[in-house]
């Protein structure tokens, strides 16, 4: 099966148009007058594809300013408000109805590609991080703040941030994993913990990716429907000078590790670059990482996936 990817194309403007014609060569003409949807910033079109090209009828998410549109790609051979070819999108996957939007291909300013199963390591908004002064929501932390680690308090070097519409995360299999309160025994975590699938939790001296912990009862990957009240999901992570164990909702989990380039998925990478000039390497913890279920030690696999007693004997409270 081809590897699914998430592409983000950024445009400088987008216009709502009326449409005429039928079929794959559907032509679009400017509305009277055209509606400029560029807002105060650029427009990004995020779509799920199985190749490097959009396919007619594929769902896309168009974002401009604070507004999000769920649309379908309808072709790149239409004539529209701008000279030359345009990308055409509609509120309907096929047919001639719906509301249409076009973007000139000449206005594409950037393209990024995040491959399927990229090991994002992040917490969602509201995760409580232990600090010497008590637990704080991760989004309130700043550079220089101290957080509790397995080696004592350490200063935050950077707080990464990346946001995406739930549909986009669903296409890339990046929707958060929900670890229910007390799911891992000993009252841990103390409240529901939402992390990216590639974020590792400390279990029995192993760094176990959250996706591996899924048992579809007390630990599951969330669905788009569970995030219907959110235009976007924002992931945060804490970068320290070295890869360490921090405490999230009273559960030990990893801090940021540079497994993949920060530039490929941090929304605030430019800020990081202004501060540090380049991507700084991070020394990784000397602990075995479990990225796949088959790598789980047998006793952990049975406890997690066959409904045996909780992990009270191997997961101690911090």
């Amino acid at each position: 099966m081809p590897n699914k990817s998430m592409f983000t194309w950024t445009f400088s403007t987008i216009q709502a148009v009326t449409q005429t014609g039928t079929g794959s060569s559907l032509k679009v003409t400017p509305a009277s007058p055209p509606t400029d949807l560029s807002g105060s910033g650029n427009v990004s079109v995020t779509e799920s594809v199985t190749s490097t090209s959009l396919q007619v009828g594929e769902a896309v998410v168009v974002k401009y300013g604070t507004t999000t549109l769920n649309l379908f790609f309808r072709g790149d051979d239409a004539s529209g408000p701008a000279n030359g070819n345009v990308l055409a999108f509609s509120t309907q996957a096929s047919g001639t109805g719906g509301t249409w939007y076009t973007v000139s291909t000449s206005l594409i300013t950037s393209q990024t590609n995040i491959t399927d199963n990229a090991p994002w390591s992040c917490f969602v908004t509201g995760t409580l991080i232990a600090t010497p002064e008590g637990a704080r929501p991760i989004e309130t932390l700043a550079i220089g703040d101290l957080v509790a680690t397995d080696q004592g308090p350490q200063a935050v070097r950077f707080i990464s941030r990346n946001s995406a519409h739930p549909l986009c995360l669903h296409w890339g299999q990046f929707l958060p994993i929900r670890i229910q309160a007390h799911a891992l025994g000993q009252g841990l975590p103390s409240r529901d913990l939402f992390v990216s699938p590639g974020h590792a939790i400390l279990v029995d001296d192993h760094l176990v990716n959250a996706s591996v912990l899924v048992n579809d009862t007390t630990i599951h990957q969330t669905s788009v429907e569970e995030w219907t009240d959110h235009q976007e999901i924002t992931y945060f992570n804490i970068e320290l000078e070295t890869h360490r164990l921090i405490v999230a909702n009273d559960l030990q989990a990893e801090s940021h590790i540079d497994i993949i380039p920060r530039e490929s998925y941090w929304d605030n990478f430019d800020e990081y670059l202004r501060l540090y000039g380049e991507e700084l390497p991070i020394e990784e913890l000397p602990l075995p990482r479990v990225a796949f279920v088959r790598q789980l030690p047998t006793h952990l696999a049975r406890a997690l996936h066959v409904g045996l007693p909780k992990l009270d004997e191997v997961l101690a409270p911090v």
Side-chain angles (χ1 to χ4, degrees):
M1 178 180 293
N3 194 40
K4 182 185 290 185
S5 301
M6 282 199 304
F7 284 81
T8 299
W9 290 356
T10 301
F11 305 92
S12 59
T13 189
I14 187 170
Q15 293 183 308
V17 299
T18 57
Q19 54 77 30
T20 60
T22 59
S24 60
S25 61
L26 189 67
K27 305 296 181 182
V28 292
T29 56
S32 182
T35 303
D36 186 357
L37 300 178
S38 56
S40 59
N42 286 342
V43 180
S44 65
V45 178
T46 303
E47 33 84 15
S48 169
V49 297
T50 53
S51 68
T52 57
S53 300
L54 276 167
Q55 302 297 315
V56 172
E58 281 199 86
V60 299
V61 174
V62 177
K63 297 168 59 181
Y64 56 95
T66 60
T67 301
T68 299
L69 294 173
N70 297 319
L71 303 174
F72 298 91
F73 178 60
R74 295 299 302 274
D76 59 5
D77 58 349
S79 299
N83 293 329
N85 287 342
V86 298
L87 301 180
F89 306 93
S90 173
T91 53
Q92 293 188 7
S94 62
T96 59
T99 302
W100 284 71
Y101 302 88
T102 63
V103 177
S104 170
T105 55
S106 64
L107 297 176
I108 296 175
T109 58
S110 66
Q111 175 176 313
T112 58
N113 175 21
I114 302 174
T115 57
D116 192 16
N117 295 322
W120 291 9
S121 175
C122 315
F123 303 96
V124 302
T125 306
T127 302
L128 296 179
I129 303 297
T131 78
E133 289 76 35
R136 288 177 54 185
I138 191 169
E139 66 273 16
T140 69
L141 294 171
I143 295 171
D145 287 345
L146 295 178
V147 297
T149 80
D150 58 311
Q151 294 293 313
Q154 294 198 12
V156 171
R157 184 159 74 183
F158 197 73
I159 302 291
S160 66
R161 183 186 70 255
N162 52 298
S163 300
H165 190 278
L167 281 173
C168 301
L169 295 176
H170 168 70
W171 289 324
Q173 299 180 26
F174 300 136
L175 277 168
I177 303 292
R178 178 189 183 191
I179 304 174
Q180 291 183 16
H182 309 165
L184 295 176
Q186 296 288 349
L188 299 175
S190 57
R191 52 186 284 184
D192 288 1
L193 179 64
F194 295 85
V195 296
S196 59
H199 201 117
I201 307 298
L202 183 69
V203 180
D204 197 21
D205 294 325
H206 289 71
L207 290 174
V208 183
N209 283 9
S211 59
V212 174
L213 296 173
V214 169
N215 58 21
D216 291 328
T217 53
T218 59
I219 305 173
H220 73 280
Q221 185 162 29
T222 57
S223 65
V224 172
E225 289 71 26
E226 292 176 69
W227 301 94
T228 53
D229 293 335
H230 295 67
Q231 275 204 337
E232 291 187 328
I233 296 171
T234 299
Y235 278 129
F236 297 88
N237 207 351
I238 298 170
E239 179 169 317
L240 307 171
E241 286 193 6
T242 60
H243 186 218
R244 298 257 51 99
L245 295 172
I246 58 177
V247 182
N249 293 1
D250 293 315
L251 187 65
Q252 286 190 297
E254 65 180 340
S255 64
H256 173 72
I257 181 65
D258 54 340
I259 295 176
I260 58 176
R262 301 166 178 86
E263 183 180 12
S264 67
Y265 68 107
W266 283 10
D267 291 346
N268 57 346
F269 176 73
D270 287 346
E271 179 185 347
Y272 179 93
L273 210 56
R274 284 194 299 271
L275 289 170
Y276 302 111
E278 61 180 350
E279 296 204 33
L280 301 176
I282 297 177
E283 181 182 353
E284 190 169 2
L285 280 165
L287 293 172
R289 180 177 292 272
V290 179
F292 304 97
V293 172
R294 66 175 180 271
Q295 296 174 323
L296 272 174
T298 302
H299 68 290
L300 291 181
R302 294 180 66 212
L304 285 165
H305 298 287
V306 188
L308 293 183
K310 302 287 179 109
L311 303 179
D312 292 343
E313 296 181 1
V314 297
L315 188 65
V318 294

